[in-house]
Amino acid sequence: MRTPHVEREATPVDVAGSGSNAKRSVGTIDVRLSLSRRSPETTLDDTDAGEHKHPHDEEKGNAKLQQEPTSEEGSEETIYVEFEQGDPRNPANFSYTRKWAMTIAVSFFSLIAASSSGAYALGFPSMTRELNASQFEATLGLSMWALALALVPLWSTSFSEEFGRQPIYIISGAGSVLMHLMVALAQNVQTVIIGRFFGGAFGSTAAAMVGGTIADIWAPSDRGLPMSVFAIMIMAGPGIGCVAAGSIEQNPHLEWRWIQWIHVIFYGTFLLTFPFIMRETRPGVLLKRKAERLRKKTGNTHYRARVEDQYPGLSTLIYVSCTRALYLLFTEPVVASFSLWAGFAWGILFVLVESIGPAFRSIHHFSTGEVGTVFASMIAGCIVGEVIQIYQERLYARYYPTKGPEARLFSACLAAILFPTGMFIYAWCTFPNVPWIGMAMGIFVIMTSLFILYVAVFTYLADCYGIFASSALAGQSLSRNLMGAIFPLFSQQMFDRLTYHWGNTLFACIATLMIPIPFVLYWKGPAIRARSKFASQVIHK
């Protein structure tokens, strides 16, 4: 089989097409070559999965033209279309109001998708009764959502390289409306399971691409608050959805179908308002469109966007996106250890979403509406986690010059201790004679640690792997969501055998065994990264 080759810049640039002013040196690069066989300058991360980019210099300005020779003799010249200083069409130069409007819009999409992932579980009682389904069949719908989140972004986010972000958001929003409509009208549980998988597939855009959109429009120094808004939306979303779904499920005139109808309404609202708020944010796509218009208008085929020479093609991009993410997951100790930790934590999150209802109903005889209010402890945990993360950012600014990327791990070390602590609190309060607030406090501590862990994973891996950050993040995202799909399938059977007390104690003991992970990385991180073929190419001064 012939190995594909692509034309690339010899100087490092953003494959996404941010538009570089660097002089172009044409060379042939095999994107499948191992790192040991090509130079650091030509090794680029072609993936877009995960979408949380490592901070780098942002390009500013409007379209300008730059002539460069395309042959050794210089007989033909390519006229590159680029951005100049101050062009309002450059996403980096959007107004402050426009940036925040777009940030809130895409974060709202994340909130709806995250809400739908958890709210579904609150409708189990009426859904299983109406559709004559088992608890396990209903749980499959929860797992299918997480499975789609694990698999689909590995290839779907590559389409934004070709078509831009805006159409992907619109297609995802439309698909989400249709899939939730499919579930709301389902007459059997099989239809529900299929609808949930494809609903997760379309909703995966919310988790996979929003971070990249924020990186497109905000400079690294201004990105902290917008990213925090996104993180709160996606982490608090399941709690917000479950609080509302508890009241909907309790109403005999609404029940599980209206949990889906409410999400259809919210997705529809997003879909109708989004085109008026959102603009395309991929600089490379905008420059390519500009070059295409100039070629058509002038008849001069030498007008080009740099991304047209750098872009390896959609099929190659998907291939690299999938294979490199898996390669990093199984060969890089930093990615593997963080993925194991984050994956287990994400599995616990989905276990909580599934089991909180049965636990509080059986132990404290809560109604469905009262169960919904318990999920408010998840929201509170995310808020406290954000406060801790703000302090972590101050520590990072202070210690980065001496500690490097490991300055990201102060809060992660705290989360490593809080996570099993919350699990033990939750497990040892699962008795009728212990007030229900004890279990709620355990959930609160767990969610605080999960929020810190979620942010730490993205920021630390981005710092460690730089231009390979997208692949590293895609690998951990795959592990994280696969665990989220698998854990609910066995947890209820485990609780039936071991009780909530001992089942959650077992989870707490496993979480305790994982406490050393961030501490070892803080202590030995530089030495581990120095031996990595990927991380060693990222220089930290």
Side-chain angles (χ1 to χ4, degrees):
M1 181 176 178
R2 185 181 177 185
T3 303
H5 288 72
V6 295
E7 298 292 313
R8 287 291 184 82
E9 292 262 325
T11 48
V13 296
D14 184 358
V15 159
S18 58
S20 173
N21 286 324
K23 293 291 182 180
R24 178 173 169 275
S25 175
V26 178
T28 302
I29 299 170
D30 183 353
V31 296
R32 296 198 215 176
L33 290 180
S34 65
L35 289 173
S36 60
R37 295 171 58 192
R38 49 179 160 143
S39 66
E41 290 78 9
T42 58
T43 307
L44 296 175
D45 190 0
D46 299 294
T47 69
D48 198 26
E51 288 290 334
H52 291 263
K53 299 178 182 178
H54 183 66
H56 58 277
D57 291 337
E58 301 290 330
E59 291 292 335
K60 294 184 177 181
N62 275 339
K64 72 174 181 179
L65 307 181
Q66 181 178 350
Q67 296 184 357
E68 295 180 6
T70 58
S71 66
E72 293 182 1
E73 296 80 6
S75 58
E76 295 182 354
E77 290 183 338
T78 295
I79 307 173
Y80 281 112
V81 179
E82 298 189 354
F83 285 127
E84 282 187 354
Q85 192 78 15
D87 188 346
R89 291 170 296 183
N90 184 351
N93 295 329
F94 287 166
S95 69
Y96 190 76
T97 301
R98 168 72 68 183
K99 288 181 179 181
W100 268 114
M102 293 169 62
T103 299
I104 293 172
V106 295
S107 296
F108 178 66
F109 185 27
S110 300
L111 174 63
I112 305 170
S115 168
S116 181
S117 68
Y120 164 81
L122 270 290
F124 281 5
S126 62
M127 186 179 74
T128 53
R129 183 180 66 250
E130 181 181 339
L131 300 182
N132 193 27
S134 67
Q135 182 77 13
F136 180 78
E137 289 174 323
T139 303
L140 274 176
L142 183 66
S143 293
M144 288 299 102
W145 184 281
L147 181 63
L149 289 180
L151 301 179
V152 174
L154 283 177
W155 57 269
S156 65
T157 49
S158 298
F159 285 91
S160 68
E161 301 269 357
E162 179 76 21
F163 305 107
R165 300 194 194 279
Q166 189 175 27
I168 304 302
Y169 277 121
I170 293 174
I171 292 171
S172 298
S176 296
V177 169
L178 293 176
M179 292 305 104
H180 281 74
L181 190 63
M182 176 180 176
V183 175
L185 298 174
Q187 298 303 309
N188 54 66
V189 72
Q190 290 81 10
T191 304
V192 171
I193 293 171
I194 294 172
R196 285 288 294 177
F197 177 82
F198 285 103
F202 285 110
S204 65
T205 300
M209 209 163 69
V210 173
T213 301
I214 292 173
D216 287 341
I217 61 179
W218 294 98
S221 58
D222 301 325
R223 203 174 292 163
L225 183 57
M227 285 299 295
S228 296
V229 171
F230 163 59
I232 289 177
M233 293 289 190
I234 203 166
M235 290 298 293
I240 294 172
C242 290
V243 170
S247 299
I248 297 171
E249 171 68 12
Q250 191 173 15
N251 189 325
H253 301 292
L254 300 177
E255 296 186 327
W256 72 278
R257 292 189 188 274
W258 266 96
I259 295 176
Q260 303 304 314
W261 281 115
I262 291 296
H263 284 89
V264 168
I265 293 171
F266 279 112
Y267 273 119
T269 302
F270 165 79
L271 190 61
L272 292 174
T273 59
F274 186 77
F276 300 99
I277 299 173
M278 191 67 180
R279 298 289 182 270
E280 181 55 54
T281 65
R282 268 205 178 277
V285 171
L286 293 171
L287 291 172
K288 184 168 68 172
R289 292 175 183 173
K290 175 69 173 178
E292 289 172 352
R293 287 194 299 268
L294 287 171
R295 288 196 295 266
K296 182 177 181 180
K297 181 179 179 180
T298 65
N300 186 345
T301 59
H302 294 273
Y303 285 109
R304 304 279 293 175
R306 288 182 181 274
V307 69
E308 294 180 276
D309 289 334
Q310 300 159 7
Y311 186 62
L314 185 59
S315 60
T316 303
L317 199 62
I318 293 174
Y319 171 83
V320 174
S321 175
C322 296
T323 56
R324 185 179 288 168
L326 292 173
Y327 182 83
L328 287 173
L329 178 62
F330 291 109
T331 63
E332 290 289 308
V334 172
V335 179
S337 59
F338 246 145
S339 298
L340 176 65
W341 188 30
F344 176 75
W346 213 247
I348 295 299
L349 174 61
F350 274 80
V351 167
L352 289 176
V353 169
E354 181 206 15
S355 67
I356 284 176
F360 275 84
R361 277 192 287 265
S362 62
I363 297 172
H364 296 291
H365 308 292
F366 272 30
S367 66
T368 302
E370 291 172 328
V371 167
T373 61
V374 172
F375 284 90
S377 58
M378 285 189 170
I379 303 172
C382 291
I383 294 172
V384 173
E386 173 58 22
V387 173
I388 295 174
Q389 192 57 36
I390 291 173
Y391 184 67
Q392 160 63 45
E393 287 299 310
R394 295 179 181 177
L395 293 175
Y396 174 75
R398 179 179 177 182
Y399 290 102
Y400 179 79
T402 57
K403 297 293 185 181
E406 282 65 41
R408 295 283 190 191
L409 297 179
F410 294 112
S411 62
C413 293
L414 174 63
I417 298 172
L418 288 179
F419 184 34
T421 300
M423 290 298 302
F424 277 119
I425 294 173
Y426 182 71
W428 287 81
C429 290
T430 52
F431 299 101
N433 60 331
V434 178
W436 66 269
I437 194 66
M439 292 176 67
M441 287 300 298
I443 297 168
F444 165 79
V445 175
I446 292 170
M447 283 307 300
T448 300
S449 62
L450 289 185
F451 183 91
I452 297 171
L453 171 59
Y454 181 82
V455 177
V457 165
F458 282 98
T459 55
Y460 181 65
L461 291 182
D463 275 11
C464 286
Y465 287 91
I467 57 175
F468 307 107
S470 292
S471 294
L473 291 168
Q476 69 80 30
S477 181
L478 174 66
S479 171
R480 181 164 49 86
N481 286 297
L482 281 178
M483 295 286 192
I486 294 170
F487 272 45
L489 297 178
F490 69 81
S491 59
Q492 195 56 53
Q493 294 90 324
M494 183 185 72
F495 291 141
D496 290 341
R497 285 179 172 270
L498 300 180
T499 72
Y500 290 106
H501 170 65
W502 288 111
N504 285 295
T505 298
L506 175 60
F507 282 141
C509 291
I510 297 174
T512 302
L513 294 177
M514 295 184 178
I515 288 178
I517 290 176
F519 289 94
V520 171
L521 290 176
Y522 179 81
W523 178 37
K524 291 292 186 179
I528 295 173
R529 286 187 285 108
R531 291 192 293 269
S532 165
K533 291 188 296 183
F534 290 84
S536 62
Q537 297 186 39
V538 181
I539 301 174
H540 301 282
K541 296 180 180 180

